[in-house]
Amino acid sequence: MRAAFGKVNTIHNHALDYIDRPLATVNLLGGEDGIDDAGVSVTRIFAGPKDWFLEGTAQVFRGDSADVFQANGRKDVSVVGHFRGYKDLSESTNLDIGLSYARGHNNNGSAFLTNLYGADATLRWKPLRRAVYNSVMWRNEFFLRSTRSVLNWDDAGDSTRVRPVQFIELPRQPPMDCGWTV
């Protein structure tokens, strides 16, 4: 099961709008497969204030997910939470924003944790009458990975990495995509 962390992590490789996953998701979320593992997921959708639709997802995984999390014992599970808001701004424009959190044990042992924080926003413009060639999708993701690890035999250290991802899709004849990572 894929974790509900951000936007790109939830999309299977064959359904991506581009050939390769962004480097930030490859480096921080565990390679081509991202965060995926056996587990349980609970999602709740409800109406929010001012015509916002809200969705909350909580997931518990076995604890092994590529290079991100590694279970050293049966109790070393990993958890993921995602909160998402969606709003139609006009007949042809909508906004989708979300916040994500994931926590799990790393390969240094049960006492050492990796925390992932994420924020995502997608703005879509697709007019109903001429949606075939006139549309724009602007997707942004921001990741922060904090890992507690062993530096030497006597003490532990922290490492933090931050990466933003941006992607703009401009369907034209021929289609054109543009994405970048810092």
Side-chain angles (χ1 to χ4, degrees):
M1 173 173 61
R2 286 196 165 280
F5 189 90
K7 281 289 193 193
V8 175
N9 188 67
T10 62
I11 303 171
H12 289 273
N13 290 339
H14 63 85
L16 287 171
D17 294 325
Y18 27 88
I19 296 171
D20 295 325
R21 289 191 172 273
L23 289 176
T25 60
V26 171
N27 293 336
L28 298 182
L29 302 183
E32 287 290 319
D33 291 331
I35 303 172
D36 63 345
D37 197 3
V40 178
S41 178
V42 176
T43 300
R44 171 92 164 113
I45 300 171
F46 50 96
K50 302 199 185 237
D51 297 327
W52 279 87
F53 293 98
L54 304 174
E55 175 185 72
T57 303
Q59 298 175 316
V60 178
F61 292 102
R62 181 182 54 195
D64 288 320
S65 184
D67 299 331
V68 183
F69 304 127
Q70 183 172 345
N72 300 298
R74 294 187 67 157
K75 295 181 181 180
D76 293 348
V77 298
S78 59
V79 295
V80 175
H82 184 75
F83 186 75
R84 177 179 168 229
Y86 174 88
K87 181 177 173 105
D88 285 324
L89 302 176
S90 70
E91 182 179 274
S92 58
T93 308
N94 61 56
L95 178 64
D96 187 352
I97 57 174
L99 296 171
S100 303
Y101 173 72
R103 182 195 67 82
H105 300 273
N106 60 39
N107 58 358
N108 291 314
S110 294
F112 300 97
L113 296 174
T114 296
N115 292 295
L116 296 169
Y117 304 91
D120 58 86
T122 303
L123 180 66
R124 286 183 207 88
W125 174 75
K126 191 169 190 173
L128 295 176
R129 293 188 185 102
R130 302 194 48 95
V132 176
Y133 298 116
N134 295 325
S135 65
V136 175
M137 180 182 67
W138 183 22
R139 178 181 297 143
N140 298 284
E141 290 194 65
F142 178 80
F143 304 114
L144 185 139
R145 179 176 175 173
S146 174
T147 303
R148 183 101 169 126
S149 61
V150 175
L151 290 179
N152 58 40
W153 293 106
D154 296 328
D155 73 323
D158 293 325
S159 120
T160 301
R161 294 191 290 175
V162 178
R163 298 285 189 274
V165 175
Q166 295 217 359
F167 176 75
I168 297 175
E169 179 182 311
L170 304 166
R172 298 270 182 221
Q173 196 60 18
M176 182 174 69
D177 297 337
C178 176
W180 62 91
T181 301
V182 176

mmCIF file of all heavy atoms in Angstrom, residues 1-4 9 33-42 58-66 69-71 73-80 103:
data_model
loop_
_atom_site.group_PDB
_atom_site.id
_atom_site.type_symbol
_atom_site.label_atom_id
_atom_site.label_comp_id
_atom_site.label_asym_id
_atom_site.label_seq_id
_atom_site.Cartn_x
_atom_site.Cartn_y
_atom_site.Cartn_z
ATOM 1 N N MET A 1 0.852 -1.171 0.000
ATOM 2 C CA MET A 1 0.000 0.000 0.000
ATOM 3 C C MET A 1 0.899 1.235 0.000
ATOM 4 O O MET A 1 1.867 1.314 0.749
ATOM 5 C CB MET A 1 -0.896 -0.036 1.244
ATOM 6 C CG MET A 1 -1.718 1.198 1.444
ATOM 7 S SD MET A 1 -2.912 1.097 2.797
ATOM 8 C CE MET A 1 -1.877 0.845 4.199
ATOM 9 N N ARG A 2 0.576 2.205 -0.833
ATOM 10 C CA ARG A 2 1.321 3.459 -0.878
ATOM 11 C C ARG A 2 0.865 4.375 0.255
ATOM 12 O O ARG A 2 -0.315 4.454 0.558
ATOM 13 C CB ARG A 2 1.088 4.163 -2.206
ATOM 14 C CG ARG A 2 1.813 3.506 -3.338
ATOM 15 C CD ARG A 2 1.864 4.477 -4.506
ATOM 16 N NE ARG A 2 2.825 4.067 -5.486
ATOM 17 C CZ ARG A 2 4.122 4.260 -5.392
ATOM 18 N NH1 ARG A 2 4.634 4.847 -4.360
ATOM 19 N NH2 ARG A 2 4.935 3.863 -6.333
ATOM 20 N N ALA A 3 1.826 5.054 0.848
ATOM 21 C CA ALA A 3 1.499 5.986 1.928
ATOM 22 C C ALA A 3 0.900 7.270 1.369
ATOM 23 O O ALA A 3 1.273 7.722 0.288
ATOM 24 C CB ALA A 3 2.759 6.310 2.736
ATOM 25 N N ALA A 4 -0.011 7.845 2.108
ATOM 26 C CA ALA A 4 -0.654 9.104 1.719
ATOM 27 C C ALA A 4 0.224 10.267 2.166
ATOM 28 O O ALA A 4 -0.191 11.118 2.947
ATOM 29 C CB ALA A 4 -2.042 9.204 2.343
ATOM 30 N N ASN A 9 4.068 10.859 -4.099
ATOM 31 C CA ASN A 9 4.235 9.552 -3.472
ATOM 32 C C ASN A 9 2.996 8.684 -3.636
ATOM 33 O O ASN A 9 3.092 7.468 -3.672
ATOM 34 C CB ASN A 9 4.567 9.711 -1.986
ATOM 35 C CG ASN A 9 4.945 8.391 -1.354
ATOM 36 O OD1 ASN A 9 5.968 7.815 -1.667
ATOM 37 N ND2 ASN A 9 4.095 7.900 -0.475
ATOM 38 N N ASP A 33 9.830 3.672 -5.520
ATOM 39 C CA ASP A 33 8.565 3.221 -4.936
ATOM 40 C C ASP A 33 8.044 4.153 -3.852
ATOM 41 O O ASP A 33 6.894 4.032 -3.443
ATOM 42 C CB ASP A 33 8.724 1.817 -4.358
ATOM 43 C CG ASP A 33 8.904 0.780 -5.437
ATOM 44 O OD1 ASP A 33 8.388 0.995 -6.544
ATOM 45 O OD2 ASP A 33 9.566 -0.228 -5.178
ATOM 46 N N GLY A 34 8.862 5.066 -3.365
ATOM 47 C CA GLY A 34 8.413 5.969 -2.313
ATOM 48 C C GLY A 34 8.134 5.206 -1.026
ATOM 49 O O GLY A 34 8.685 4.149 -0.776
ATOM 50 N N ILE A 35 7.264 5.745 -0.205
ATOM 51 C CA ILE A 35 6.898 5.091 1.047
ATOM 52 C C ILE A 35 5.760 4.128 0.744
ATOM 53 O O ILE A 35 4.643 4.542 0.433
ATOM 54 C CB ILE A 35 6.448 6.119 2.104
ATOM 55 C CG1 ILE A 35 7.545 7.157 2.356
ATOM 56 C CG2 ILE A 35 6.076 5.420 3.395
ATOM 57 C CD1 ILE A 35 7.102 8.304 3.232
ATOM 58 N N ASP A 36 6.049 2.836 0.790
ATOM 59 C CA ASP A 36 5.007 1.829 0.623
ATOM 60 C C ASP A 36 5.354 0.619 1.468
ATOM 61 O O ASP A 36 6.507 0.266 1.643
ATOM 62 C CB ASP A 36 4.814 1.446 -0.849
ATOM 63 C CG ASP A 36 6.044 0.814 -1.463
ATOM 64 O OD1 ASP A 36 7.127 0.921 -0.866
ATOM 65 O OD2 ASP A 36 5.915 0.205 -2.521
ATOM 66 N N ASP A 37 4.332 0.002 2.039
ATOM 67 C CA ASP A 37 4.533 -1.105 2.952
ATOM 68 C C ASP A 37 3.172 -1.742 3.226
ATOM 69 O O ASP A 37 2.140 -1.204 2.836
ATOM 70 C CB ASP A 37 5.164 -0.585 4.248
ATOM 71 C CG ASP A 37 5.793 -1.666 5.108
ATOM 72 O OD1 ASP A 37 5.806 -2.832 4.684
ATOM 73 O OD2 ASP A 37 6.272 -1.342 6.207
ATOM 74 N N ALA A 38 3.163 -2.841 3.920
ATOM 75 C CA ALA A 38 1.919 -3.465 4.346
ATOM 76 C C ALA A 38 1.422 -2.738 5.588
ATOM 77 O O ALA A 38 2.210 -2.410 6.487
ATOM 78 C CB ALA A 38 2.139 -4.941 4.646
ATOM 79 N N GLY A 39 0.124 -2.444 5.644
ATOM 80 C CA GLY A 39 -0.398 -1.735 6.791
ATOM 81 C C GLY A 39 -1.889 -1.517 6.730
ATOM 82 O O GLY A 39 -2.605 -2.128 5.940
ATOM 83 N N VAL A 40 -2.354 -0.594 7.566
ATOM 84 C CA VAL A 40 -3.770 -0.262 7.706
ATOM 85 C C VAL A 40 -3.935 1.226 7.475
ATOM 86 O O VAL A 40 -3.121 2.032 7.929
ATOM 87 C CB VAL A 40 -4.270 -0.636 9.119
ATOM 88 C CG1 VAL A 40 -5.719 -0.253 9.307
ATOM 89 C CG2 VAL A 40 -4.071 -2.107 9.397
ATOM 90 N N SER A 41 -5.030 1.598 6.780
ATOM 91 C CA SER A 41 -5.293 3.007 6.490
ATOM 92 C C SER A 41 -6.742 3.346 6.823
ATOM 93 O O SER A 41 -7.650 2.561 6.527
ATOM 94 C CB SER A 41 -5.021 3.288 5.006
ATOM 95 O OG SER A 41 -5.305 4.625 4.701
ATOM 96 N N VAL A 42 -6.945 4.506 7.442
ATOM 97 C CA VAL A 42 -8.287 5.006 7.753
ATOM 98 C C VAL A 42 -8.382 6.424 7.200
ATOM 99 O O VAL A 42 -7.513 7.261 7.457
ATOM 100 C CB VAL A 42 -8.544 5.019 9.279
ATOM 101 C CG1 VAL A 42 -9.892 5.623 9.602
ATOM 102 C CG2 VAL A 42 -8.421 3.626 9.854
ATOM 103 N N ALA A 58 -5.055 8.550 8.274
ATOM 104 C CA ALA A 58 -4.094 8.023 9.250
ATOM 105 C C ALA A 58 -3.724 6.608 8.814
ATOM 106 O O ALA A 58 -4.607 5.812 8.479
ATOM 107 C CB ALA A 58 -4.692 8.013 10.646
ATOM 108 N N GLN A 59 -2.417 6.311 8.808
ATOM 109 C CA GLN A 59 -1.951 5.005 8.365
ATOM 110 C C GLN A 59 -0.900 4.467 9.326
ATOM 111 O O GLN A 59 -0.096 5.231 9.855
ATOM 112 C CB GLN A 59 -1.339 5.102 6.964
ATOM 113 C CG GLN A 59 -2.328 5.547 5.911
ATOM 114 C CD GLN A 59 -1.682 5.762 4.561
ATOM 115 O OE1 GLN A 59 -0.622 6.351 4.467
ATOM 116 N NE2 GLN A 59 -2.346 5.279 3.517
ATOM 117 N N VAL A 60 -0.932 3.170 9.537
ATOM 118 C CA VAL A 60 0.082 2.470 10.330
ATOM 119 C C VAL A 60 0.641 1.365 9.446
ATOM 120 O O VAL A 60 -0.112 0.563 8.890
ATOM 121 C CB VAL A 60 -0.514 1.875 11.630
ATOM 122 C CG1 VAL A 60 0.552 1.119 12.405
ATOM 123 C CG2 VAL A 60 -1.127 2.962 12.482
ATOM 124 N N PHE A 61 1.967 1.339 9.312
ATOM 125 C CA PHE A 61 2.638 0.366 8.458
ATOM 126 C C PHE A 61 3.508 -0.573 9.285
ATOM 127 O O PHE A 61 3.876 -0.264 10.419
ATOM 128 C CB PHE A 61 3.515 1.077 7.421
ATOM 129 C CG PHE A 61 2.732 1.841 6.409
ATOM 130 C CD1 PHE A 61 2.620 3.219 6.505
ATOM 131 C CD2 PHE A 61 2.109 1.191 5.367
ATOM 132 C CE1 PHE A 61 1.899 3.934 5.568
ATOM 133 C CE2 PHE A 61 1.388 1.893 4.424
ATOM 134 C CZ PHE A 61 1.277 3.270 4.527
ATOM 135 N N ARG A 62 3.875 -1.686 8.678
ATOM 136 C CA ARG A 62 4.711 -2.701 9.314
ATOM 137 C C ARG A 62 6.054 -2.127 9.762
ATOM 138 O O ARG A 62 6.628 -2.559 10.739
ATOM 139 C CB ARG A 62 4.905 -3.852 8.335
ATOM 140 C CG ARG A 62 5.714 -4.986 8.859
ATOM 141 C CD ARG A 62 5.901 -6.056 7.824
ATOM 142 N NE ARG A 62 6.464 -5.442 6.628
ATOM 143 C CZ ARG A 62 6.494 -6.013 5.444
ATOM 144 N NH1 ARG A 62 5.981 -7.184 5.280
ATOM 145 N NH2 ARG A 62 7.038 -5.398 4.416
ATOM 146 N N GLY A 63 6.578 -1.141 9.039
ATOM 147 C CA GLY A 63 7.808 -0.482 9.473
ATOM 148 C C GLY A 63 8.964 -0.562 8.513
ATOM 149 O O GLY A 63 9.992 0.068 8.740
ATOM 150 N N ASP A 64 8.864 -1.328 7.434
ATOM 151 C CA ASP A 64 9.937 -1.434 6.444
ATOM 152 C C ASP A 64 9.498 -0.765 5.153
ATOM 153 O O ASP A 64 8.546 -1.188 4.517
ATOM 154 C CB ASP A 64 10.272 -2.901 6.140
ATOM 155 C CG ASP A 64 10.991 -3.563 7.287
ATOM 156 O OD1 ASP A 64 11.849 -2.900 7.890
ATOM 157 O OD2 ASP A 64 10.688 -4.720 7.586
ATOM 158 N N SER A 65 10.203 0.290 4.764
ATOM 159 C CA SER A 65 9.859 0.998 3.535
ATOM 160 C C SER A 65 11.129 1.539 2.888
ATOM 161 O O SER A 65 11.583 2.636 3.217
ATOM 162 C CB SER A 65 8.881 2.132 3.827
ATOM 163 O OG SER A 65 8.490 2.756 2.638
ATOM 164 N N ALA A 66 11.688 0.756 1.985
ATOM 165 C CA ALA A 66 12.866 1.141 1.191
ATOM 166 C C ALA A 66 13.975 1.683 2.087
ATOM 167 O O ALA A 66 14.347 1.069 3.072
ATOM 168 C CB ALA A 66 12.473 2.131 0.106
ATOM 169 N N PHE A 69 12.369 3.865 6.230
ATOM 170 C CA PHE A 69 12.105 3.263 7.536
ATOM 171 C C PHE A 69 12.559 1.810 7.536
ATOM 172 O O PHE A 69 12.480 1.123 6.529
ATOM 173 C CB PHE A 69 10.615 3.311 7.871
ATOM 174 C CG PHE A 69 10.023 4.689 7.843
ATOM 175 C CD1 PHE A 69 8.898 4.956 7.079
ATOM 176 C CD2 PHE A 69 10.579 5.725 8.570
ATOM 177 C CE1 PHE A 69 8.343 6.219 7.049
ATOM 178 C CE2 PHE A 69 10.043 6.995 8.538
ATOM 179 C CZ PHE A 69 8.919 7.236 7.774
ATOM 180 N N GLN A 70 13.025 1.362 8.710
ATOM 181 C CA GLN A 70 13.412 -0.030 8.850
ATOM 182 C C GLN A 70 13.037 -0.505 10.244
ATOM 183 O O GLN A 70 13.494 0.055 11.239
ATOM 184 C CB GLN A 70 14.908 -0.208 8.627
ATOM 185 C CG GLN A 70 15.325 -1.657 8.686
ATOM 186 C CD GLN A 70 16.770 -1.850 8.282
ATOM 187 O OE1 GLN A 70 17.386 -0.965 7.702
ATOM 188 N NE2 GLN A 70 17.305 -3.005 8.601
ATOM 189 N N ALA A 71 12.203 -1.525 10.299
ATOM 190 C CA ALA A 71 11.787 -2.092 11.578
ATOM 191 C C ALA A 71 12.872 -3.021 12.092
ATOM 192 O O ALA A 71 13.339 -3.903 11.386
ATOM 193 C CB ALA A 71 10.478 -2.847 11.421
ATOM 194 N N GLY A 73 12.336 -4.464 15.191
ATOM 195 C CA GLY A 73 11.571 -5.365 16.046
ATOM 196 C C GLY A 73 10.105 -5.288 15.670
ATOM 197 O O GLY A 73 9.691 -4.472 14.842
ATOM 198 N N ARG A 74 9.285 -6.121 16.286
ATOM 199 C CA ARG A 74 7.851 -6.161 15.949
ATOM 200 C C ARG A 74 7.120 -4.880 16.311
ATOM 201 O O ARG A 74 6.128 -4.547 15.693
ATOM 202 C CB ARG A 74 7.196 -7.344 16.647
ATOM 203 C CG ARG A 74 7.722 -8.674 16.127
ATOM 204 C CD ARG A 74 6.942 -9.777 16.711
ATOM 205 N NE ARG A 74 5.579 -9.683 16.184
ATOM 206 C CZ ARG A 74 4.750 -10.678 16.116
ATOM 207 N NH1 ARG A 74 5.121 -11.858 16.545
ATOM 208 N NH2 ARG A 74 3.531 -10.532 15.655
ATOM 209 N N LYS A 75 7.594 -4.174 17.316
ATOM 210 C CA LYS A 75 6.921 -2.951 17.746
ATOM 211 C C LYS A 75 7.358 -1.710 16.971
ATOM 212 O O LYS A 75 6.837 -0.635 17.182
ATOM 213 C CB LYS A 75 7.159 -2.717 19.240
ATOM 214 C CG LYS A 75 6.546 -3.769 20.117
ATOM 215 C CD LYS A 75 6.807 -3.471 21.579
ATOM 216 C CE LYS A 75 6.212 -4.550 22.451
ATOM 217 N NZ LYS A 75 6.452 -4.292 23.875
ATOM 218 N N ASP A 76 8.308 -1.849 16.073
ATOM 219 C CA ASP A 76 8.847 -0.709 15.319
ATOM 220 C C ASP A 76 7.995 -0.410 14.081
ATOM 221 O O ASP A 76 8.439 -0.564 12.956
ATOM 222 C CB ASP A 76 10.293 -0.970 14.896
ATOM 223 C CG ASP A 76 11.230 -1.019 16.071
ATOM 224 O OD1 ASP A 76 10.822 -0.629 17.173
ATOM 225 O OD2 ASP A 76 12.376 -1.455 15.878
ATOM 226 N N VAL A 77 6.780 0.018 14.293
ATOM 227 C CA VAL A 77 5.900 0.359 13.177
ATOM 228 C C VAL A 77 6.174 1.799 12.724
ATOM 229 O O VAL A 77 6.767 2.585 13.455
ATOM 230 C CB VAL A 77 4.409 0.200 13.563
ATOM 231 C CG1 VAL A 77 4.108 -1.230 13.927
ATOM 232 C CG2 VAL A 77 4.035 1.146 14.685
ATOM 233 N N SER A 78 5.754 2.114 11.522
ATOM 234 C CA SER A 78 5.836 3.496 11.047
ATOM 235 C C SER A 78 4.419 4.028 10.887
ATOM 236 O O SER A 78 3.490 3.271 10.612
ATOM 237 C CB SER A 78 6.605 3.583 9.722
ATOM 238 O OG SER A 78 5.982 2.799 8.729
ATOM 239 N N VAL A 79 4.252 5.337 11.082
ATOM 240 C CA VAL A 79 2.941 5.968 10.980
ATOM 241 C C VAL A 79 3.011 7.109 9.973
ATOM 242 O O VAL A 79 4.044 7.752 9.803
ATOM 243 C CB VAL A 79 2.449 6.497 12.350
ATOM 244 C CG1 VAL A 79 2.219 5.357 13.319
ATOM 245 C CG2 VAL A 79 3.417 7.495 12.934
ATOM 246 N N VAL A 80 1.889 7.331 9.286
ATOM 247 C CA VAL A 80 1.769 8.411 8.311
ATOM 248 C C VAL A 80 0.435 9.096 8.545
ATOM 249 O O VAL A 80 -0.590 8.442 8.756
ATOM 250 C CB VAL A 80 1.841 7.877 6.864
ATOM 251 C CG1 VAL A 80 1.591 8.991 5.859
ATOM 252 C CG2 VAL A 80 3.175 7.217 6.597
ATOM 253 N N ARG A 103 6.561 9.038 10.499
ATOM 254 C CA ARG A 103 7.575 8.740 11.514
ATOM 255 C C ARG A 103 7.818 7.243 11.532
ATOM 256 O O ARG A 103 6.887 6.444 11.458
ATOM 257 C CB ARG A 103 7.107 9.182 12.893
ATOM 258 C CG ARG A 103 8.148 8.936 13.975
ATOM 259 C CD ARG A 103 7.561 9.037 15.370
ATOM 260 N NE ARG A 103 6.603 7.990 15.676
ATOM 261 C CZ ARG A 103 6.906 6.749 16.080
ATOM 262 N NH1 ARG A 103 8.154 6.398 16.216
ATOM 263 N NH2 ARG A 103 5.970 5.869 16.340
#
